[in-house]
């Protein structure tokens, strides 16, 4: 049986761990050739090795998505290595929480830059490349539907105390998605977003391996949710539990396969039935 993404070229940011890693592995498992980005070279290369050890193809582009020079380097990695691009998943991100009266400008701009400005720059840089690829498709009598999936959050839909920066950015990426779906339809590109509820990643899981603290862009960021609070939150989810990263990846996958070629401008909620936070 032919795999649904055989031969496609997929670019995934923040692909070294968590949801991004599971997205990369899922797309590769369906035949896509991957360009993986992560801030941490070790975890990025580890994800690429997993794909290659399984018989897939993967390249890495290590670095911060917030770097203005990153988009060109990221996209050129795909063009030089695989000669095209079919899927772009803007997944990279983290949280840096604080109530608004204590939130610094640096906290605000860091999160906005990572979750909203970085996807904007990547997609802006991708447009002329995609336009050129579409013209080549037309010359050769092909019609290729390309895919963009932007990762959002239920925090962006309903807000969350202590996350003015994150909620603002995630709400913004939904608006950007809907606008770009209207711009890029003529290029045969679907543009959708996925808003996650509670997914079992280091953002909520204070496990012993990182102690709830991680360094991101030189800043010590506290991750995790109090275990008792998390247990209470789980009770609000109709399915009674947080989602796995593999289940989260499945939502992105649905928007990358041919069956979703006429779905665009949509925000898919992946939350186990949770409809508000």
């Amino acid at each position: 049986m032919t795999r649904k993404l055989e031969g496609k070229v997929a670019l995934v940011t923040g692909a070294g761990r968590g949801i991004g890693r599971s997205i990369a592995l899922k797309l590769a498992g369906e035949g896509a050739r991957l360009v993986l980005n992560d801030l941490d070279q070790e975890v990025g290369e580890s994800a690429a090795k997993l794909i290659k050890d399984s018989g897939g193809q993967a390249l890495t582009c290590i670095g911060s998505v917030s770097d203005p020079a990153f988009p060109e380097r990221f996209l050129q990695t795909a063009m030089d290595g695989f000669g095209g691009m079919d899927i772009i998943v803007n997944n990279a991100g983290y949280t840096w929480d604080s109530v608004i009266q204590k939130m610094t400008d640096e906290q605000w701009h860091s999160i906005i830059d990572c979750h909203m400005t970085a996807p904007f720059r990547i997609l802006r840089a991708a447009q002329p490349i995609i336009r050129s690829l579409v013209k080549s498709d037309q010359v050769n009598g092909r019609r290729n539907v390309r895919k963009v999936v932007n990762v959002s959050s239920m925090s962006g839909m309903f807000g969350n105390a202590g996350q003015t920066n994150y909620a603002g950015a995630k709400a913004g990426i939904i608006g950007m998605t809907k606008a770009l779906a209207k711009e890029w339809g003529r290029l045969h590109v679907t543009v959708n977003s996925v808003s996650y509820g509670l997914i079992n990643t280091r953002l909520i899981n204070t496990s012993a391996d990182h102690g709830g603290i991680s360094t991101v862009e030189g800043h010590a960021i506290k991750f995790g949710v109090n275990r008792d609070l998390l247990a209470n939150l789980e009770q609000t989810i109709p399915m009674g539990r947080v989602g796995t990263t593999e289940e989260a990846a499945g939502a992105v996958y649905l928007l990358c396969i041919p069956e979703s070629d006429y779905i665009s401008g949509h925000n898919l909620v992946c939350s186990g039935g949770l409809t508000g936070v």
Side-chain angles (χ1 to χ4, degrees):
M1 182 180 294
T2 302
R3 294 179 294 180
K4 289 183 179 293
L5 300 177
E6 196 71 54
K8 299 289 186 181
V9 178
L11 298 82
V12 183
T13 64
R17 53 166 59 92
I19 294 172
R21 186 185 184 97
S22 291
I23 291 170
L25 294 175
K26 178 65 175 177
L27 300 185
E30 287 295 326
R33 296 170 288 170
L34 270 292
V35 177
L36 311 181
N37 154 262
D38 202 87
L39 190 60
D40 185 324
Q41 182 166 357
E42 183 178 351
V43 297
E45 296 292 350
S46 172
K49 185 176 185 300
L50 271 178
I51 291 171
K52 289 185 278 192
D53 286 349
S54 298
Q57 299 181 57
L59 300 171
T60 58
C61 183
I62 305 302
S64 171
V65 296
S66 298
D67 178 1
F70 173 77
E72 286 74 14
R73 187 164 60 86
F74 188 42
L75 300 172
Q76 199 60 48
T77 300
M79 296 305 295
D80 290 345
F82 298 130
M85 62 182 68
D86 302 287
I87 298 165
I88 299 174
V89 181
N90 286 304
N91 165 76
Y94 63 103
T95 55
W96 193 0
D97 297 348
S98 182
V99 290
I100 193 167
Q101 68 271 23
K102 295 181 179 179
M103 185 174 290
T104 65
D105 283 0
E106 185 178 22
Q107 278 178 279
W108 170 264
H109 288 296
S110 293
I111 296 302
I112 296 295
D113 283 351
C114 179
H115 290 272
M116 194 171 177
T117 305
F120 160 73
R121 286 173 173 158
I122 290 168
L123 297 173
R124 179 177 62 182
Q127 197 278 348
I129 299 173
I130 291 173
R131 184 180 60 202
S132 177
L133 291 171
V134 169
K135 289 180 179 178
S136 177
D137 290 340
Q138 292 171 340
V139 168
N140 291 285
R142 298 189 301 260
R143 184 178 182 275
N144 182 20
V145 178
R146 292 178 170 84
K147 313 279 186 161
V148 171
V149 184
N150 296 317
V151 172
S152 186
S153 167
M154 291 185 73
S155 181
M157 298 172 65
F158 301 103
N160 194 25
Q163 291 191 327
T164 304
N165 50 1
Y166 183 74
K170 289 307 192 183
I173 201 68
I174 295 173
M176 187 189 303
T177 295
K178 292 179 180 295
L180 198 57
K182 294 183 176 181
E183 286 189 28
W184 281 12
R186 62 188 176 83
L187 296 175
H188 313 303
V189 178
T190 69
V191 187
N192 295 288
S193 56
V194 174
S195 287
Y196 291 118
L198 287 168
I199 305 295
N200 189 20
T201 70
R202 63 178 180 156
L203 295 185
I204 69 166
N205 183 12
T206 49
S207 59
D209 61 341
H210 60 73
I213 301 291
S214 185
T215 301
V216 180
E217 302 270 27
H219 304 289
I221 306 294
K222 183 178 180 180
F223 290 111
V225 176
N226 176 277
R227 292 184 186 278
D228 291 336
L229 175 59
L230 183 58
N232 290 333
L233 288 172
E234 284 188 298
Q235 299 309 307
T236 69
I237 301 172
M239 293 190 72
R241 61 176 177 83
V242 300
T244 67
T245 60
E246 291 78 16
E247 289 167 329
V252 171
Y253 168 71
L254 290 174
L255 296 172
C256 293
I257 58 177
E259 286 83 349
S260 63
D261 279 359
Y262 201 61
I263 299 172
S264 194
H266 181 70
N267 179 53
L268 174 62
V269 178
C270 179
S271 66
L274 184 67
T275 56
V277 292

